[in-house]
Amino acid sequence: RCSAIRRRLGTLFASAAARSEARGWLGGLCFCGLGEHAFPLLQSYIDRSSDVQTAAALLLSAPKGVLSLPLPRHWLDTYRRMLNRWQLYHARCRLDIAAARARSAEGERRVGEPASQVFARC
């Protein structure tokens, strides 16, 4: 009985996720999370709304490793270029700081951070 309920719930969640993706409805993130499974939904949302800012903001809370993937980097770069074009440099700086913090929380080295070359030993 439990396995039948699990199968039914799985089917229900899958269809809700597919509908959310087709409509670009961000509520569907409840079904797929913010990992790679969310990319089609986020792309659909961006295509329908032209709102790359929301996608960029959501990506800053994504699980480990997501920010280093090509599509999220593309969305963040698009948002950065938009902020530069609108001369919103302070907002661009806040975005860059938030992205750097998210990457450092993932254990990635910051862009442009040199590797240690001098070591001290006592």
Side-chain angles (χ1 to χ4, degrees), residues 43-54 78 82 86:
Q43 186 63 61
S44 176
Y45 173 78
I46 293 168
D47 292 344
R48 291 179 179 275
S49 67
S50 300
D51 178 12
V52 73
Q53 178 183 17
T54 299
T78 299
M82 185 178 77
W86 291 347

Side-chain angles (χ1 to χ4, degrees), residues 41-121:
L41 189 151
L42 288 171
Q43 186 63 61
S44 176
Y45 173 78
I46 293 168
D47 292 344
R48 291 179 179 275
S49 67
S50 300
D51 178 12
V52 73
Q53 178 183 17
T54 299
L58 286 168
L59 288 171
L60 296 176
S61 301
K64 185 176 184 175
V66 169
L67 285 180
S68 61
L69 298 172
L71 195 53
R73 278 198 322 243
H74 170 71
W75 292 330
L76 284 170
D77 290 341
T78 299
Y79 184 47
R80 281 187 184 104
R81 285 193 304 275
M82 185 178 77
L83 291 173
N84 285 341
R85 194 170 37 251
W86 291 347
Q87 298 180 1
L88 295 172
Y89 303 118
H90 287 21
R92 160 72 193 268
C93 287
R94 286 192 297 271
L95 174 70
D96 288 341
I97 290 167
R101 283 183 179 155
R103 280 193 301 271
S104 70
E106 292 179 354
E108 291 182 22
R109 254 188 21 201
R110 287 184 218 124
V111 175
E113 182 180 325
S116 297
Q117 296 180 9
V118 177
F119 298 94
R121 182 181 242 172

